[in-house]
Amino acid sequence: MSNESEPGPALVQSVDRALSILEILARRRSAGVTEIGRELGVHKSTAFRLLAVLESRGFVEQAQERGTYRLGLGVVRLAGTVAAQLDLSRQGHEVCDRLAAEVGETVNIAILDGNRAVNVTQSRGAASVTSYDWVGRQTPLHATSSGKVLLAHAPEAVRVAVLAGPLERFTPATLTGAADLTAELDGIRSAGWASTSEEYEVGLNAVAAPIRGADGSVLAALSVSGPAYRLDPAAFPDIAKRVIAAAGEVSGRMGFLP
């Protein structure tokens, strides 16, 4: 049984009311504290406290007429993130299908999600021996090829947090030393691709390359994974060329100009 306590009814109600405020402002474009309180069925002071919290996080802002609120840029930021992920999946799906058909293995696209990687797109090649669906599954940054690519290009705070460890050992081949992982991340940035050889699962190898956005930042990682007996480390450089080319095509579709 979890030691974490469940949120109380008052907290849940506050969250519900805060979300209702966003819906009200989306519908009405702007509204005053009194109007919002009336729609919520709460006192003006309660509406004001909720608005103050939302304003502090950038989700609402006061219009030129003080006391009147509208949606803030925080909502735009969240919407942009969701749109980018949806666009990434849409733009990458055809490329992943084509690469999977060419190499016969499983192709995934993963994005950074806190201190983990999460797969958003998957295509299976004809030679794929597994029917496991990786979409939506979170994987560790230090033990997967996509994770290493994302970690190599992640904000410094993320790299520091991951390298501070502990780095979980999944197999005998998992890198669990911060110095060794740091050196590998430097090599990944130089080479433009990453690989894992039975580091997350025994018998599973993978190669990944970065997908970049219009501003050049790394949005995601595209990977090819397959059984170690078929995706041998000796084949990594050749697979890497194909993965880099595919990731480059998706990058171009996302607006990146090398």
Side-chain angles (χ1 to χ4, degrees), residues 96-163:
C96 289
D97 281 349
R98 192 187 325 129
L99 181 60
E102 290 176 3
V103 300
E105 307 292 358
T106 300
V107 179
N108 284 287
I109 290 178
I111 60 173
L112 187 66
D113 182 21
N115 288 356
R116 309 279 285 181
V118 62
N119 294 284
V120 297
T121 296
Q122 175 173 291
S123 299
R124 297 190 185 95
S128 177
V129 296
T130 178
S131 60
Y132 190 87
D133 188 356
W134 290 84
V135 174
R137 178 176 175 180
Q138 289 188 323
T139 55
L141 297 179
H142 70 287
T144 60
S145 61
S146 291
K148 288 181 182 179
V149 166
L150 295 171
L151 184 59
H153 298 279
E156 184 179 2
V158 174
R159 289 200 304 275
V160 169
V162 172
L163 290 168

Side-chain angles (χ1 to χ4, degrees), residues 192-215:
W193 58 280
S195 65
T196 50
S197 182
E198 302 188 77
E199 295 172 41
Y200 185 45
E201 292 184 7
V202 173
L204 180 67
N205 290 352
V207 176
I211 295 172
R212 298 182 183 274
D215 63 354

Side-chain angles (χ1 to χ4, degrees), residues 21-144:
I21 288 175
L22 297 180
E23 292 177 341
I24 291 169
L25 294 179
R27 185 176 69 251
R28 300 183 60 158
R29 306 298 183 184
S30 65
V33 178
T34 301
E35 299 169 275
I36 291 172
R38 187 182 303 118
E39 282 212 35
L40 289 178
V42 301
H43 192 273
K44 177 180 177 180
S45 61
T46 300
F48 180 78
R49 286 196 298 271
L50 291 168
L51 283 162
V53 173
L54 291 170
E55 185 177 19
S56 71
R57 301 297 294 271
F59 292 114
V60 303
E61 61 185 19
Q62 292 194 51
Q64 290 182 340
E65 181 184 347
R66 300 294 292 179
T68 300
Y69 291 83
R70 64 190 178 197
L71 293 178
L73 293 178
V75 174
V76 177
R77 184 180 67 251
L78 293 181
T81 300
V82 173
Q85 292 180 14
L86 292 174
D87 195 38
L88 178 64
S89 298
R90 183 168 58 251
Q91 296 295 344
H93 191 71
E94 178 187 345
V95 178
C96 289
D97 281 349
R98 192 187 325 129
L99 181 60
E102 290 176 3
V103 300
E105 307 292 358
T106 300
V107 179
N108 284 287
I109 290 178
I111 60 173
L112 187 66
D113 182 21
N115 288 356
R116 309 279 285 181
V118 62
N119 294 284
V120 297
T121 296
Q122 175 173 291
S123 299
R124 297 190 185 95
S128 177
V129 296
T130 178
S131 60
Y132 190 87
D133 188 356
W134 290 84
V135 174
R137 178 176 175 180
Q138 289 188 323
T139 55
L141 297 179
H142 70 287
T144 60

